[in-house]
Amino acid sequence: MTAAAPSISTTHVPIALGERSYHIHIGCGLLGDAKSWAGLPASADALIVTNTTVAPLYAERLAAQLATRHRRVLQIALPDGEQYKTAATLELIYHQLLGAGCDRKTVLYALGGGVVGDMAGFAAACYMRGVPFVQVPTTLLAQVDSSVGGKTAINHPLGKNMIGAFYQPARVICDLDVLDTLPARELSAGLAEVIKYGPIADVQFLDWIELNLDALMSRDKAALAHAVRRSCEIKAHVVGQDEREGGLRAILNFGHTFGHAIETGLGYGAWLHGEAVGCGMVLAAELSARLGLVEAALVPRLKKLCQRAGLPVQAPPLSVLPLARWMDLMRVDKKAEGGEIRFVVIDGLGRAAVRPAPDALVGEVIAAHAAAA
Ligand code: NAD
Ligand code: GLY
């Protein structure tokens, strides 16, 4: 049984947030299509926030479109990498805006992956107490997750994404063509966030991913269009009910409590965010099974899927990331309450919940999946 991939005509997924509502445009050739930008604020100034890798690939194409709508189109190419998702890099954006005399109507365009999107979004939230911004995600991970829903942040040496704001973009433009230049390892990292949506919200989508993983890995546009659209629909549904993560939205962090500990523990950039999430989902599935919430068969199922997607499924050796360090790192997680770590668990396949778990059990789960030294 192979599910028929839908056509790749442009689709618009709505995010319903009252006066902060917007659309996610998904399709091919969107960067160079005037329709993508129609209706957005057309103020005097636009600032494209990108990085040194993405700028030479796509900044001119975007700038050419924006030049028809803005008097000045400025650009800033940030250093590339998770290790630069810092307050110091944010300062570069403010410096450019203030140095160029940009007013409070200036529109920021985040052209890049999740690192650029999170930083440009946070800069937009803060500059003159808030200017409009548009997400133009260029990684699969950013198209299916980080550009949608208004979480913006920078890292702190003591914790990932700890300084930030909820600030919604005016639009999200997912041009599937830009994924052609994405390195294979980054495509795999994005697939981790696609896979995530299956166990937490949509068993049929999990089945579909298993059947169509090869097409996704070979960047088949119809398969990518379906994966991006279904992921965005699920995320839009969750964010529409719980924009500021009062409760439900936390389920989007399946695998992330373990994953963030890996990222922070090994040093930002050693494992890609999506890689850490992939491995983290295997651990979170194991925890769910040991808590008796889901059948144990989910663990090998997810492990196999992540492996096929090119993701690491073994946690770092305990000699590299000792258990005590894992626990310390996970206690800094934003879901932790009063020092108690809380995990997103699968509570019956296709449904997620947030639960505490005994430290000893969590330690057993990590030890069971840690690579030998
Ligand atoms: P990234 O932004 O570092 O991009 C990955 C790499 O791909 C970079 O080297 C980048 O320069 C390069 N790149 C981007 N687009 C390219 C293209 N089209 N062709 C060639 N190279 C390209 O990483 P990411 O995986 O996109 O994002 C990870 C970040 O997103 C993390 O900081 C994570 O915390 C954040 N995130 C945020 C949310 C949210 O809701 N805000 C959700 C998930 C992840
Ligand atoms: N990536 C998790 C969220 O947006 O809530």
Side-chain angles (χ1 to χ4, degrees):
M1 178 183 67
T2 304
S7 85
I8 46 169
S9 54
T10 303
T11 50
H12 295 174
V13 176
I15 296 243
L17 291 169
E19 62 185 13
R20 295 179 305 291
S21 298
Y22 55 97
H23 282 88
I24 307 159
H25 296 206
I26 302 161
C28 293
L30 300 190
L31 224 56
D33 184 348
K35 289 198 287 298
S36 303
W37 320 104
L40 287 168
S43 57
D45 293 335
L47 175 65
I48 299 175
V49 180
T50 184
N51 73 21
T52 50
T53 304
V54 177
L57 296 171
Y58 301 114
E60 283 317 310
R61 206 179 303 173
L62 176 58
Q65 284 298 318
L66 300 185
T68 65
R69 308 179 47 76
H70 298 272
R71 190 163 48 81
R72 285 194 301 175
V73 180
L74 311 165
Q75 267 185 48
I76 181 164
L78 306 174
D80 184 4
E82 182 76 34
Q83 65 275 34
Y84 296 108
K85 193 175 156 182
T86 59
T89 309
L90 206 57
E91 270 299 314
L92 300 176
I93 305 176
Y94 300 138
H95 192 80
Q96 170 96 357
L97 286 163
L98 288 166
C102 292
D103 64 26
R104 67 192 325 168
K105 293 217 155 96
T106 303
V107 183
L108 266 56
Y109 292 82
L111 176 70
V115 170
V116 162
D118 280 11
M119 278 195 293
F122 192 37
C126 298
Y127 187 65
M128 297 198 177
R129 301 199 181 92
V131 294
F133 89 112
V134 177
Q135 287 275 16
V136 191
T138 63
T139 63
L140 179 60
L141 184 141
Q143 295 192 352
V144 300
D145 191 353
S146 64
S147 66
V148 173
K151 277 190 181 175
T152 73
I154 54 170
N155 297 330
H156 187 278
L158 296 182
K160 191 171 153 57
N161 291 336
M162 281 293 152
I163 316 294
F166 287 98
Y167 194 66
Q168 300 293 342
R171 190 172 293 168
V172 181
I173 303 292
C174 299
D175 185 340
L176 302 168
D177 287 341
V178 303
L179 302 179
D180 288 344
T181 54
L182 198 61
R185 190 177 165 201
E186 300 292 348
L187 187 77
S188 293
L191 286 171
E193 301 279 13
V194 175
I195 292 168
K196 166 185 89 178
Y197 291 110
I200 64 165
D202 186 346
V203 182
Q204 281 181 338
F205 187 44
L206 182 61
D207 295 342
W208 182 90
I209 298 165
E210 286 174 327
L211 286 170
N212 291 277
L213 190 70
D214 294 343
L216 290 168
M217 300 278 283
S218 61
R219 301 172 204 234
D220 174 87
K221 289 285 160 53
L224 285 170
H226 181 64
V228 174
R229 193 186 64 200
R230 187 66 197 125
S231 300
C232 288
E233 282 170 353
I234 294 170
K235 182 153 186 183
H237 182 68
V238 171
V239 171
Q241 295 174 75
D242 180 21
E243 181 183 6
R244 297 176 74 90
E245 201 165 310
L248 177 72
R249 184 168 177 166
I251 69 168
L252 298 173
N253 282 320
F254 177 52
H256 286 58
T257 306
F258 290 110
H260 283 169
I262 296 174
E263 279 188 274
T264 310
L266 298 189
Y268 298 129
W271 280 36
L272 301 180
H273 175 72
E275 291 174 337
V277 168
C279 180
M281 287 192 292
V282 174
L283 271 64
E286 175 83 45
L287 181 65
S288 312
R290 290 191 187 218
L291 288 168
L293 299 170
V294 74
E295 298 211 354
L298 177 64
V299 181
R301 184 177 178 185
L302 264 188
K303 195 169 173 178
K304 184 172 168 205
L305 185 55
C306 287
Q307 247 164 347
R308 281 180 62 206
L311 294 162
V313 290
Q314 280 203 302
L318 294 177
S319 54
V320 174
L321 197 54
L323 276 180
R325 176 94 174 111
W326 272 94
M327 294 300 179
D328 286 348
L329 289 166
M330 291 193 293
R331 266 184 255 283
V332 186
D333 187 86
K334 287 191 281 309
K335 287 181 297 305
E337 283 180 5
E340 183 180 61
I341 311 168
R342 295 161 78 243
F343 296 87
V344 179
V345 288
I346 301 304
D347 188 10
L349 193 53
R351 205 176 52 224
V354 181
R355 294 274 176 88
D359 281 5
L361 182 64
V362 174
E364 282 172 27
V365 166
I366 294 168
H369 289 274

